[in-house]
Amino acid sequence: LHLLMNLGLWLWLIGHLETERKVSFLLGLSLFAALLAHLLEASFTTSAFIGLSGVVCGVLSYVWLAGKRKNLEYVYFPDVVFWSSCALILFGFIEPFGIKVANWAHIGGLVAGILFAYFEPIKKPS
């Protein structure tokens, strides 16, 4: 289910985001989210985490906040989906079913996307 979500929904979301932003913007967001995700995971755990979950969380939180700030025209992420995703990330800390999850990487990605959206200048209405 995790793999299908990442491959399906998130690639669809990233594709739509790419239509509104340049590829260089998406690359910068992805690299920043990956860096912060891996730094947090390495700082708080002993795992050698390498993955894209932090980047996915970074794109999610960027689209959510940029949409709320009216900086995106065609991509929108509803509050209920964003907060449900955050709840699932927190749920991962209890290691359901004994499955270890890169929780700090998810949080690092979320923070990276929020920072990217927060420091982006707000578009003027045309």
Side-chain angles (χ1 to χ4, degrees), residues 48-104:
F49 169 75
I50 296 178
L52 287 176
S53 294
V55 174
V56 168
C57 289
V59 171
L60 176 149
S61 60
Y62 169 79
V63 168
W64 174 74
L65 186 55
K68 290 191 92 46
R69 297 179 83 207
K70 308 287 191 251
N71 263 3
L72 294 173
E73 292 180 46
Y74 304 110
V75 185
Y76 173 73
F77 219 72
D79 286 346
V80 68
V81 177
F82 176 77
W83 292 113
S84 297
S85 298
C86 290
L88 285 172
I89 289 168
L90 293 177
F91 182 65
F93 277 100
I94 66 169
E95 295 182 1
F97 313 111
I99 299 170
K100 294 206 179 284
V101 179
N103 297 303
W104 289 105

Side-chain angles (χ1 to χ4, degrees), residues 25-40:
F25 176 87
L26 192 53
L27 181 62
L29 172 60
S30 298
L31 290 175
F32 182 61
L35 178 67
L36 195 55
H38 293 301
L39 284 174
L40 257 70

Side-chain angles (χ1 to χ4, degrees), residues 1-12 56 81 85 88:
L1 184 60
H2 186 250
L3 180 63
L4 290 175
M5 283 291 289
N6 283 347
L7 290 176
L9 179 62
W10 301 119
L11 286 176
W12 174 82
V56 168
V81 177
S85 298
L88 285 172

